[in-house]
């Protein structure tokens, strides 16, 4: 099976389908069994170290002399989660909403790796398809800073105008802290996170994905929605709720000095007029 993971996108896709169905009672891309069709060997037999979702299918490169095929469990689940996002929250692929879009894919990708390889997985994204010492690490859940990605909202390595793959590491680190648990300090913020069951955590994240997040949601929204989802599922007095809140504190949320612009959407209509359509004109 491990050999198949490295070469056959269909095997990995089937495992992702199984995890979503077994853990979240969600079938296929849109919940009603829409098929997940991987396109493997994209870009030829070699020298394409990438994978992507195009709005309909997921495509996977064969790698190069330093990297094996990108049809591993983590990468396959990552790309198809972009499809699940498209059919649910439809997070805009830019700014903080884009970072959440990427993190959701990272989270479900790593969750599948843990689901299949519970005792033999890495919190780094890259080693499962690395072939040489020159293969570069993509991302790290446990220590995003080692690849110059942030693990604190608005903290070290955070970039307001960053590529969506960079700021996504804040939520990735949040997920890591909840699955593993632990105490420590992140940029001066002390925390004590009690670990929670990964499937229960996925249910919270997925309820946010399917019921609360909107295309323009950002990190502050994800903080609030995750607590609301956990309250619905497990109660506000549960250990899960306390852990989720503590893990957000560890990565800098809520951001008390939030300077996001506030928009007043109220307006008054004075001397209203009625308009009608005539001769198909508007």
């Amino acid at each position: 099976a491990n050999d198949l993971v490295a070469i056959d996108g269909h095997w990995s896709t089937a495992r992702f389908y199984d995890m979503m169905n077994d853990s979240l009672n969600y079938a296929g891309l849109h919940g009603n069994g829409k098929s997940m069709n991987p396109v493997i060997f994209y870009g030829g037999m070699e020298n394409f170290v990438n994978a992507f979702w195009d709005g309909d299918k997921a495509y996977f490169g064969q790698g190069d002399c330093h990297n094996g095929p990108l049809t591993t469990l983590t990468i396959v689940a990552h790309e198809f989660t972009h499809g699940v996002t498209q059919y649910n929250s439809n997070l805009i692929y830019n700014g903080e909403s884009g970072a959440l879009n990427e993190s959701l894919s990272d989270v479900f990708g790593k969750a599948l790796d843990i689901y299949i390889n519970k005792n033999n997985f890495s919190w780094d994204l890259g080693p499962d398809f690395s072939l040489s010492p020159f293969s570069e690490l993509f991302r790290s859940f446990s220590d995003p800073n080692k690849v110059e990605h942030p693990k604190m909202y608005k903290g070290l390595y955070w970039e307001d105008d960053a590529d969506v793959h960079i700021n996504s590491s804040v939520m990735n680190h949040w997920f890591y802290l909840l699955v593993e648990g632990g105490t420590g300090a992140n940029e001066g913020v002390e925390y004590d996170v009690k670990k929670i069951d990964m499937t229960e955590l996925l249910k919270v994240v997925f309820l946010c994905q399917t019921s609360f997040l909107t295309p323009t949601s950002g990190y502050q929204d994800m903080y609030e929605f995750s607590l609301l989802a956990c309250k619905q599922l497990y109660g506000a007095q549960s250990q899960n709720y306390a852990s989720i809140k503590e893990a957000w504190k560890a990565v800098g949320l809520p951001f008390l000095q939030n300077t996001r612009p506030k928009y007043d959407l109220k307006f008054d209509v004075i001397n209203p007029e009625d308009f009608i359509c005539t001769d198909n004109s508007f």
Side-chain angles (χ1 to χ4, degrees):
N2 289 334
D3 291 337
L4 284 173
V5 168
I7 61 174
D8 186 358
H10 297 277
W11 191 92
S12 301
T13 301
R15 301 291 75 77
F16 179 57
Y17 194 109
D18 290 343
M19 183 189 77
M20 298 295 284
N21 200 33
D22 295 345
S23 302
L24 302 167
N25 194 31
Y26 187 89
L29 285 172
H30 58 23
N32 293 315
K34 182 175 174 59
S35 62
M36 300 176 179
N37 299 314
V39 179
I40 61 176
F41 304 117
Y42 181 79
M45 294 298 293
E46 58 184 348
N47 297 327
F48 187 73
V49 188
N50 208 342
F52 62 92
W53 170 258
D54 76 346
D56 181 52
K57 293 183 178 66
Y59 296 78
F60 303 93
Q62 184 68 0
D64 60 13
C65 59
H66 301 302
N67 302 275
L70 274 74
T71 50
T72 62
L73 291 165
T74 303
I75 302 297
V76 167
H78 175 107
E79 298 306 335
F80 280 114
T81 299
H82 280 309
V84 175
T85 296
Q86 176 182 311
Y87 285 103
N88 287 280
S89 56
N90 199 25
L91 287 157
I92 295 170
Y93 204 64
N94 186 49
E96 287 193 24
S97 59
L100 290 180
N101 190 319
E102 269 300 313
S103 183
L104 285 170
S105 284
D106 276 352
V107 161
F108 280 93
K110 187 52 62 182
L112 180 61
D113 193 14
I114 299 171
Y115 182 79
I116 300 297
N117 302 310
K118 186 175 182 178
N119 298 315
N120 184 30
F121 72 93
S122 170
W123 282 109
D124 290 340
L125 181 58
D128 52 349
F129 54 83
S130 173
L131 296 179
S132 85
F134 301 101
S135 176
E136 294 184 2
L137 187 64
F138 281 22
R139 288 186 284 286
S140 173
F141 283 67
S142 57
D143 184 14
N145 287 171
K146 71 182 181 181
V147 289
E148 298 188 355
H149 291 175
K151 59 179 178 179
M152 173 72 77
Y153 183 72
K154 300 288 186 179
L156 180 65
Y157 298 121
W158 174 275
E159 299 178 33
D160 285 329
D161 299 317
D163 175 84
V164 293
H165 298 87
I166 294 177
N167 293 340
S168 60
S169 289
V170 172
M171 184 167 146
N172 290 359
H173 191 57
W174 170 84
F175 180 77
Y176 158 79
L177 289 172
L178 286 166
V179 174
E180 293 288 350
T183 60
N186 186 13
E187 298 186 27
V189 176
E190 295 185 356
Y191 61 84
D192 181 3
V193 179
K194 302 293 189 296
K195 68 179 180 180
I196 64 179
D197 178 77
M198 187 189 74
T199 300
E200 292 183 359
L201 177 57
L202 285 182
K203 288 179 179 178
V204 170
V205 174
F206 199 59
L207 183 56
C208 294
Q209 165 78 300
T210 55
S211 299
F212 300 133
L213 289 169
T214 67
T216 58
S217 293
Y219 268 106
Q220 183 70 24
D221 302 306
M222 186 63 196
Y223 162 80
E224 295 170 1
F225 292 154
S226 64
L227 292 176
L228 179 59
C230 188
K231 181 179 179 180
Q232 276 191 208
L233 292 169
Y234 308 113
Q237 304 305 316
S238 66
Q239 182 59 60
N240 285 352
Y241 188 95
S243 292
I244 286 173
K245 190 171 184 178
E246 184 72 3
W248 279 125
K249 185 188 83 171
V251 298
L253 286 158
F255 189 61
L256 301 181
Q257 296 179 335
N258 199 319
T259 57
R260 292 186 305 169
K262 305 296 183 182
Y263 298 103
D264 183 355
L265 300 181
K266 296 185 298 182
F267 65 93
D268 296 319
V269 178
I270 302 174
N271 298 325
E273 299 181 21
D274 292 327
F275 294 87
I276 60 173
C277 294
T278 60
D279 300 327
N280 295 321
S281 62
F282 178 70

